[in-house]
Coordinates of all heavy atoms in Angstrom, one line a residue:
Chain A
V41 N 43.1 -33.7 -49.1 CA 43.5 -35.0 -48.9 C 42.5 -36.0 -49.5 O 41.3 -36.0 -49.1 CB 43.6 -35.3 -47.4 CG1 44.2 -36.7 -47.1 CG2 44.5 -34.3 -46.7
E42 N 42.9 -36.7 -50.5 CA 42.1 -37.7 -51.2 C 40.7 -37.0 -51.5 O 39.7 -37.5 -51.2 CB 41.8 -38.9 -50.3 CG 43.1 -39.8 -50.2 CD 43.1 -40.7 -49.1 OE1 42.1 -40.7 -48.3 OE2 44.1 -41.4 -48.9
G43 N 40.8 -35.8 -52.1 CA 39.6 -35.2 -52.5 C 38.8 -34.4 -51.4 O 37.9 -33.7 -51.7
E44 N 39.3 -34.6 -50.2 CA 38.5 -33.9 -49.1 C 39.3 -32.7 -48.6 O 40.6 -32.8 -48.4 CB 38.3 -34.9 -47.9 CG 37.5 -34.4 -46.8 CD 37.0 -35.5 -45.9 OE1 37.4 -36.6 -46.1 OE2 36.2 -35.2 -45.0
R45 N 38.7 -31.6 -48.4 CA 39.4 -30.4 -48.0 C 39.4 -30.3 -46.5 O 38.4 -30.4 -45.8 CB 38.7 -29.1 -48.6 CG 39.0 -29.0 -50.1 CD 38.0 -28.0 -50.7 NE 38.0 -26.7 -50.0 CZ 38.8 -25.8 -50.3 NH1 39.7 -25.9 -51.2 NH2 38.8 -24.6 -49.7
I46 N 40.7 -30.2 -46.0 CA 40.9 -30.2 -44.5 C 41.6 -29.0 -44.1 O 42.6 -28.6 -44.8 CB 41.6 -31.5 -44.1 CG1 40.8 -32.7 -44.5 CG2 42.0 -31.5 -42.7 CD1 41.5 -34.0 -44.2
A47 N 41.2 -28.3 -43.0 CA 41.9 -27.1 -42.5 C 42.8 -27.6 -41.4 O 42.3 -28.2 -40.4 CB 40.9 -26.1 -42.1
V48 N 44.1 -27.3 -41.5 CA 45.0 -27.7 -40.4 C 45.5 -26.4 -39.7 O 45.9 -25.4 -40.4 CB 46.2 -28.5 -40.9 CG1 47.1 -28.9 -39.8 CG2 45.7 -29.7 -41.7
F49 N 45.4 -26.3 -38.4 CA 45.8 -25.1 -37.7 C 47.0 -25.5 -36.8 O 47.1 -26.6 -36.3 CB 44.6 -24.7 -36.7 CG 43.4 -24.2 -37.5 CD1 42.5 -25.1 -37.9 CD2 43.3 -22.9 -37.8 CE1 41.4 -24.7 -38.7 CE2 42.2 -22.4 -38.5 CZ 41.2 -23.3 -39.0
R50 N 47.8 -24.4 -36.6 CA 48.9 -24.6 -35.7 C 48.7 -23.4 -34.6 O 48.8 -22.3 -35.0 CB 50.2 -24.4 -36.4 CG 51.4 -24.8 -35.5 CD 52.6 -25.3 -36.3 NE 53.2 -24.1 -37.0 CZ 54.3 -23.5 -36.6 NH1 54.9 -23.8 -35.5 NH2 54.8 -22.5 -37.3
T51 N 48.5 -23.8 -33.4 CA 48.3 -22.8 -32.4 C 49.6 -22.1 -32.1 O 50.7 -22.6 -32.4 CB 47.7 -23.3 -31.1 OG1 48.7 -24.2 -30.5 CG2 46.5 -24.2 -31.3
R52 N 49.5 -20.9 -31.4 CA 50.8 -20.3 -31.0 C 51.5 -21.1 -30.0 O 52.7 -21.0 -29.8 CB 50.4 -18.9 -30.3 CG 50.0 -17.9 -31.4 CD 50.3 -16.5 -31.0 NE 50.6 -15.7 -32.2 CZ 51.8 -15.4 -32.6 NH1 52.9 -15.7 -31.9 NH2 51.9 -14.7 -33.7
G53 N 50.8 -22.1 -29.3 CA 51.5 -23.0 -28.4 C 52.2 -24.1 -29.1 O 53.0 -24.9 -28.6
G54 N 52.0 -24.2 -30.4 CA 52.7 -25.2 -31.2 C 51.9 -26.5 -31.5 O 52.4 -27.4 -32.2
D55 N 50.7 -26.6 -31.0 CA 49.9 -27.8 -31.2 C 49.2 -27.7 -32.6 O 48.9 -26.6 -33.1 CB 48.8 -27.9 -30.2 CG 49.4 -28.0 -28.8 OD1 50.6 -28.4 -28.7 OD2 48.7 -27.6 -27.8
V56 N 49.0 -28.9 -33.2 CA 48.3 -28.8 -34.5 C 47.0 -29.6 -34.4 O 46.8 -30.5 -33.6 CB 49.1 -29.5 -35.7 CG1 50.3 -28.6 -36.0 CG2 49.5 -30.9 -35.3
Y57 N 46.0 -29.1 -35.1 CA 44.6 -29.7 -35.1 C 44.1 -29.6 -36.5 O 44.5 -28.7 -37.3 CB 43.7 -28.9 -34.2 CG 44.1 -28.9 -32.8 CD1 44.8 -27.8 -32.2 CD2 43.8 -29.9 -31.9 CE1 45.3 -27.8 -30.9 CE2 44.3 -29.9 -30.6 CZ 45.0 -28.8 -30.1 OH 45.4 -28.9 -28.8
A58 N 43.2 -30.6 -36.9 CA 42.7 -30.6 -38.2 C 41.2 -30.7 -38.1 O 40.6 -31.5 -37.4 CB 43.3 -31.7 -39.0
V59 N 40.5 -29.9 -38.9 CA 39.0 -30.0 -39.0 C 38.6 -29.8 -40.4 O 39.4 -29.4 -41.3 CB 38.4 -28.8 -38.1 CG1 38.7 -29.0 -36.7 CG2 38.7 -27.5 -38.6
Q60 N 37.3 -30.0 -40.7 CA 36.8 -29.8 -42.0 C 37.0 -28.4 -42.5 O 37.1 -27.5 -41.6 CB 35.3 -30.1 -42.0 CG 34.5 -29.1 -41.2 CD 33.0 -29.5 -41.1 OE1 32.6 -30.4 -40.4 NE2 32.1 -28.8 -41.8
A61 N 37.2 -28.2 -43.8 CA 37.7 -26.8 -44.2 C 36.5 -25.8 -44.3 O 36.7 -24.6 -44.2 CB 38.3 -27.0 -45.6
E62 N 35.3 -26.3 -44.5 CA 34.2 -25.4 -44.7 C 33.3 -25.3 -43.5 O 33.0 -26.3 -42.8 CB 33.3 -25.8 -45.9 CG 33.8 -25.3 -47.2 CD 34.8 -26.2 -47.9 OE1 34.7 -27.4 -47.6 OE2 35.7 -25.7 -48.6
C63 N 32.9 -24.1 -43.1 CA 32.0 -23.9 -42.0 C 30.6 -24.5 -42.2 O 30.1 -24.4 -43.3 CB 31.8 -22.4 -41.8 SG 30.7 -22.0 -40.4
P64 N 30.1 -25.2 -41.2 CA 28.8 -25.9 -41.4 C 27.6 -24.9 -41.6 O 26.6 -25.2 -42.0 CB 28.6 -26.7 -40.2 CG 29.5 -26.1 -39.2 CD 30.7 -25.5 -39.9
H65 N 27.9 -23.6 -41.2 CA 26.9 -22.6 -41.3 C 26.6 -22.3 -42.8 O 25.6 -22.7 -43.3 CB 27.2 -21.4 -40.5 CG 26.2 -20.2 -40.6 ND1 26.6 -19.0 -40.9 CD2 24.9 -20.2 -40.5 CE1 25.5 -18.2 -40.9 NE2 24.5 -19.0 -40.7
R66 N 27.4 -21.6 -43.4 CA 27.2 -21.3 -44.8 C 28.5 -21.5 -45.6 O 28.8 -20.7 -46.5 CB 26.8 -19.8 -45.0 CG 25.5 -19.5 -44.3 CD 24.5 -18.8 -45.2 NE 23.3 -18.6 -44.5 CZ 22.8 -17.4 -44.1 NH1 23.5 -16.3 -44.6 NH2 21.7 -17.2 -43.4
G67 N 29.3 -22.4 -45.2 CA 30.4 -22.8 -46.0 C 31.6 -21.8 -45.9 O 32.5 -21.8 -46.8
G68 N 31.7 -21.0 -44.9 CA 32.8 -20.1 -44.7 C 34.1 -20.8 -44.7 O 34.2 -21.9 -44.2
P69 N 35.2 -20.2 -45.2 CA 36.5 -20.8 -45.2 C 37.2 -20.7 -43.9 O 37.7 -19.7 -43.5 CB 37.3 -20.0 -46.3 CG 36.6 -18.7 -46.3 CD 35.2 -18.9 -45.9
L70 N 37.1 -21.8 -43.1 CA 37.5 -21.8 -41.7 C 39.0 -21.5 -41.5 O 39.4 -20.8 -40.6 CB 37.1 -23.1 -41.0 CG 35.6 -23.3 -40.8 CD1 35.3 -24.7 -40.3 CD2 35.1 -22.2 -39.9
A71 N 39.8 -21.9 -42.5 CA 41.3 -21.6 -42.4 C 41.5 -20.1 -42.4 O 42.6 -19.7 -41.9 CB 42.0 -22.3 -43.5
D72 N 40.6 -19.3 -42.9 CA 40.8 -17.9 -42.9 C 40.3 -17.3 -41.6 O 40.2 -16.0 -41.4 CB 40.1 -17.3 -44.1 CG 40.8 -17.5 -45.4 OD1 42.0 -17.8 -45.3 OD2 40.2 -17.3 -46.4
G73 N 39.9 -18.1 -40.6 CA 39.3 -17.6 -39.4 C 40.3 -17.0 -38.4 O 41.5 -17.1 -38.7
L74 N 39.8 -16.6 -37.3 CA 40.7 -16.1 -36.2 C 40.8 -17.2 -35.1 O 39.8 -17.7 -34.7 CB 40.1 -14.9 -35.6 CG 40.4 -13.5 -36.1 CD1 39.5 -12.5 -35.5 CD2 41.8 -13.1 -35.9
L75 N 42.0 -17.4 -34.7 CA 42.3 -18.5 -33.8 C 42.8 -17.9 -32.5 O 43.7 -17.1 -32.5 CB 43.3 -19.5 -34.3 CG 43.5 -20.8 -33.6 CD1 42.2 -21.6 -33.5 CD2 44.6 -21.5 -34.2
G76 N 42.2 -18.3 -31.3 CA 42.8 -17.9 -30.0 C 42.8 -19.1 -29.2 O 41.7 -19.6 -28.9
G77 N 43.9 -19.6 -28.7 CA 44.0 -20.9 -28.1 C 43.4 -21.9 -29.1 O 43.9 -22.0 -30.2
T78 N 42.4 -22.7 -28.7 CA 41.8 -23.6 -29.7 C 40.5 -23.1 -30.1 O 39.7 -23.9 -30.7 CB 41.7 -25.0 -29.1 OG1 40.9 -25.0 -27.9 CG2 43.1 -25.6 -28.7

Side-chain angles (χ1 to χ4, degrees):
Chain A
V41 182
E42 289 161 359
E44 186 164 7
R45 288 162 55 83
I46 295 176
V48 183
F49 294 87
R50 190 154 71 98
T51 67
R52 286 207 152 257
D55 302 336
V56 293
Y57 299 97
V59 299
Q60 66 187 72
E62 274 88 26
C63 177
H65 177 228
R66 299 231 181 112
L70 291 174
D72 284 344
L74 270 171
L75 188 66
T78 60

